[in-house]
Amino acid sequence: MLANILVIDLEATCADDGSIPPELMETLEIGSVWIAPDGQILDRFQSFVRPIERPRLTAFCKRLLPHIDQAAIDAAPTWPAVAARLAEFAQRHQQPGSWWGSWGAFDHNQIERESARHRIADPLADLPHENLKRNFARARRPKIKQCGMIAAMKICNLTPEGHHHRALDDGLNIARLLPFCPRPDPAAEG
């Protein structure tokens, strides 16, 4: 049975000097989109998130995320408030068999880290996660190494839309890649 799919992309604090290792990164923006089995966009969600440990964007982060400014981050709610809204959004179109996906494991790990940091429940705990980057690589013939979303779009002759490194735009682009990222059949793998 086909079910609606939730696609999520995050942007996070970052530095190129090693001062913010992956386990200390904090979410800056989340974008999410519910996709029907036929590919139709059902709903969208976007929010900035105010970090609590390193609220100032680094120079590197400003270069990597030029469409996210400090004022938007300063005015944003913190993760607990955003997580509550995300949990509500995740319930909105959920059906039996629904799952959520992201381009790689980072977003899944980051949501778990943020929730642990703030001592709150994972807002997506009741939805299984799929690593769409891995699924894309597995589905290619011949097999390819995992690649970034932009490279995958080029392979599929798709033109990225919106601004790269804006969570909702990237989420919408990832949603366009869903037909090329099938979930593995557990029966075939065992």
Side-chain angles (χ1 to χ4, degrees):
M1 176 180 140
L2 296 175
N4 297 335
I5 300 166
L6 181 65
V7 175
I8 294 180
D9 186 73
L10 302 176
E11 304 302 335
T13 57
C14 52
D16 59 352
D17 62 3
S19 63
I20 306 177
E23 63 275 6
L24 297 180
M25 294 170 81
E26 294 177 84
T27 304
L28 292 171
E29 183 185 27
I30 184 165
S32 182
V33 58
W34 270 111
I35 304 296
D38 66 0
Q40 176 187 348
I41 297 169
L42 299 173
D43 211 347
R44 302 165 193 230
F45 171 82
Q46 183 278 337
S47 181
F48 290 113
V49 182
R50 183 169 31 91
I52 59 168
E53 295 175 9
R54 291 173 185 79
R56 301 297 305 165
L57 299 176
T58 64
F60 174 76
C61 201
K62 289 177 186 177
R63 286 191 306 274
L64 184 65
L65 311 171
H67 302 287
I68 298 177
D69 66 21
Q70 188 66 53
I73 298 305
D74 291 344
T78 59
W79 179 253
V82 175
R85 290 178 48 218
L86 177 61
E88 180 182 301
F89 180 77
Q91 294 296 316
R92 199 172 293 165
H93 299 283
Q94 189 173 341
Q95 306 169 312
S98 286
W99 49 273
W100 77 276
S102 61
W103 199 259
F106 172 80
D107 305 84
H108 179 254
N109 295 337
Q110 185 65 23
I111 288 171
E112 288 182 343
R113 279 192 295 263
E114 283 290 357
S115 299
R117 177 183 293 125
H118 291 275
R119 296 184 175 100
I120 62 170
D122 180 334
L124 304 173
D126 61 340
L127 279 173
H129 175 259
E130 283 291 324
N131 180 334
L132 299 172
K133 179 192 280 190
R134 182 181 60 220
N135 292 1
F136 179 80
R138 284 180 179 168
R140 301 305 297 171
R141 300 279 186 249
K143 300 283 186 203
I144 63 169
K145 291 183 179 181
Q146 292 186 26
C147 62
M149 177 198 68
I150 298 296
M153 294 193 86
K154 286 180 184 175
I155 290 168
C156 297
N157 295 314
L158 297 172
T159 302
E161 297 176 356
H163 297 290
H164 188 37
H165 294 304
R166 279 304 308 270
L168 184 56
D169 290 347
D170 285 352
L172 289 163
N173 282 320
I174 294 165
R176 293 171 57 213
L177 286 166
L178 282 172
F180 306 97
C181 305
R183 292 180 85 186
D185 179 2
E189 290 189 349

